[in-house]
């Protein structure tokens, strides 16, 4: 009979692409992972990994086993969720990951909401854009808060997606800037010569800023580039320049800023919570998802012009 822990190892090898990366992800030594994969080959009676002096990759049989293993592990998690759902009390550790601005925005409300569940432990970490769904899929985390700039995040065979917020870009300027006055009309064409700041080229929020100017035509400004929206907001507050940022970034509470909405239908993103379909009924995951939805409503109320997504 195949051992579940070895099925976990071969799935992780398939996701990571190497024995060393799979070992690092799971907290094992590479030699231990290699030995367990050899043992799995003995159990199946077939070669699962094609090894060379410098690399290793799945054989055709290995790829077929991974497909079976992913279904088996999903069914095991579903069985565990069903049993724990009948137990009723949220307990154990639930792991949530979020893109940085969501982690800052959601952490206070999540902590307040979940602390009454004394047998539940929350771990909230940060991940770069695009990694959250992969981490949920691999089982590294239970829930991911992900941003979606292009409407591409959807339910899949294994994942459930829950819409939380619409998060438009807003203009942030220093308090003494002429556009801090809400009575002054906002025209993007007149802002091209301003000292703009943005995240590096290729970052999702930078692409969104570029789209703002594409929509009005003409030459886009060439901004100074800084890692992290928090850094950009602090520079704007010091009077060094202006920026367009997702409204959710304002949860960091940087002082000295004036915020303006862009006219029309501004570029923006949607924020979603993503979890494995096999785990959503587990009490620890279910209660955390409810807390995330409550947090989203509080955030929407606090941050104009963010509004809850239609349900």
């Amino acid at each position: 009979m195949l051992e579940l822990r070895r099925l976990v190892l071969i799935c992780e090898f398939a996701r990571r692409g190497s024995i060393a990366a799979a070992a690092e992800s799971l907290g094992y030594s590479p030699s231990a992972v290699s030995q367990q994969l050899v043992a799995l080959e003995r159990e199946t009676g077939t070669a699962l990994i094609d090894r060379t002096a410098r690399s290793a990759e799945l054989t055709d049989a290995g790829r077929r086993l991974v497909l079976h293993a992913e279904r088996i592990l999903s069914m095991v998690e579903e069985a565990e969720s069903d049993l724990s759902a009948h137990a009723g009390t949220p307990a154990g550790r639930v792991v949530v990951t979020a893109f940085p601005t969501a982690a800052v925005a959601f952490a206070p409300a999540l902590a307040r909401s979940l602390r009454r569940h004394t047998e539940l432990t929350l771990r909230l970490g940060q991940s770069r854009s695009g990694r959250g769904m992969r981490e949920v899929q691999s089982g590294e985390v239970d829930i991911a808060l992900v941003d979606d700039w292009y409407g591409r995040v959807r339910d899949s065979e294994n994942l459930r997606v829950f819409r939380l917020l619409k998060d438009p870009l807003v203009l942030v300027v220093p308090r003494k800037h002429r556009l801090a006055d809400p009575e002054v009309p906002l025209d993007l064409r007149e802002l091209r010569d301003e000292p703009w700041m943005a995240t590096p080229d290729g970052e999702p929020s930078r692409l969104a800023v570029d789209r703002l100017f594409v929509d009005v035509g003409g030459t886009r400004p060439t901004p100074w580039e800084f890692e992290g929206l928090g850094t950009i907001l602090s520079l704007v507050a010091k009077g060094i320049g202006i920026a367009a940022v997702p409204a959710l970034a304002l949860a960091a509470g940087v002082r000295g800023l004036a915020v303006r909405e862009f006219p029309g239908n501004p570029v923006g993103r949607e924020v979603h919570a993503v979890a494995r379909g096999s785990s959503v009924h587990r009490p620890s995951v279910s209660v955390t998802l409810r807390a995330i939805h409550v947090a989203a409503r509080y955030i929407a109320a606090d941050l104009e012009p963010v509004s809850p997504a239609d349900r």
Side-chain angles (χ1 to χ4, degrees):
M1 182 177 293
L2 301 179
E3 285 196 15
L4 288 179
R5 63 191 179 99
R6 290 173 182 156
L7 296 182
V8 171
L9 289 176
I10 196 168
C11 287
E12 195 65 14
F13 171 80
R15 281 188 287 266
R16 303 293 176 178
S18 73
I19 289 174
E24 181 180 0
S25 171
L26 296 171
Y28 298 137
S29 68
S31 61
V33 171
S34 182
Q35 290 169 13
Q36 290 300 313
L37 291 176
V38 169
L40 183 59
E41 288 179 315
R42 287 199 298 267
E43 287 178 344
T44 59
T46 188
L48 303 173
I49 296 177
D50 184 13
R51 298 172 176 82
T52 67
R54 295 187 177 182
S55 65
E57 61 181 22
L58 291 170
T59 63
D60 288 344
R63 284 188 282 271
R64 290 198 301 275
L65 179 59
V66 166
L67 293 176
H68 289 299
E70 288 175 340
R71 289 195 292 270
I72 291 167
L73 294 171
S74 178
M75 291 173 67
V76 169
E77 183 174 44
E78 190 171 350
E80 291 173 342
S81 296
D82 178 68
L83 291 174
S84 62
H86 285 82
T89 301
R93 183 168 77 163
V94 62
V95 182
V96 180
T97 190
F99 58 96
T101 50
V104 173
F106 278 80
L110 276 182
R112 286 193 298 268
S113 180
L114 294 176
R115 65 186 175 188
R116 69 178 181 272
H117 300 287
T118 57
E119 297 183 34
L120 179 68
T121 302
L122 170 68
R123 178 183 174 188
L124 175 60
Q126 295 187 11
S127 61
R128 293 185 65 84
S129 181
R131 287 185 54 87
M133 293 187 71
R134 293 196 296 271
E135 291 173 342
V136 173
Q137 183 77 54
S138 70
E140 295 171 75
V141 303
D142 298 301
I143 302 168
L145 301 182
V146 302
D147 56 355
D148 180 13
W149 292 92
Y150 299 101
R152 296 172 181 169
V153 177
R154 295 286 186 271
D155 285 349
S156 66
E157 181 180 354
N158 300 319
L159 298 181
R160 291 281 307 281
V161 176
F162 305 89
R163 296 176 67 216
L164 299 174
L165 294 172
K166 293 179 181 177
D167 186 20
L169 285 185
V170 293
L171 178 70
V172 289
V173 300
R175 280 285 177 87
K176 296 183 179 180
H177 194 280
R178 63 183 179 83
L179 288 175
D181 181 355
E183 299 300 321
V184 175
L186 183 59
D187 187 342
L188 274 173
R189 295 178 183 84
E190 297 178 358
L191 295 178
R192 290 195 182 94
D193 296 329
E194 293 276 351
W196 281 87
M197 291 177 292
T199 53
D201 199 17
E203 290 286 325
S205 61
R206 170 62 179 277
L207 295 174
V209 173
D210 290 344
R211 283 165 56 198
L212 276 176
F213 287 93
V214 168
D215 291 344
V216 299
T219 305
R220 289 175 291 172
T222 302
W224 286 19
E225 297 179 348
F226 297 92
E227 287 280 359
L229 294 173
T231 300
I232 290 171
L233 291 176
S234 67
L235 292 171
V236 172
K238 289 177 169 60
I240 296 173
I242 67 173
V245 301
L248 195 62
L250 301 175
V254 178
R255 297 177 179 272
L257 299 173
V259 181
R260 298 288 305 275
E261 297 181 38
F262 289 107
N265 186 23
V267 173
R269 62 184 173 182
E270 291 191 352
V271 179
H272 306 282
V274 180
R276 292 182 298 282
S278 55
S279 73
V280 295
H281 298 298
R282 190 192 315 159
S284 59
V285 173
S286 178
V287 75
T288 304
L289 284 169
R290 287 199 298 271
I292 287 170
H293 278 97
V294 171
R297 288 196 290 270
Y298 279 117
I299 291 166
D302 290 342
L303 293 177
E304 290 291 343
V306 180
S307 60
D310 296 332
R311 301 208 184 281

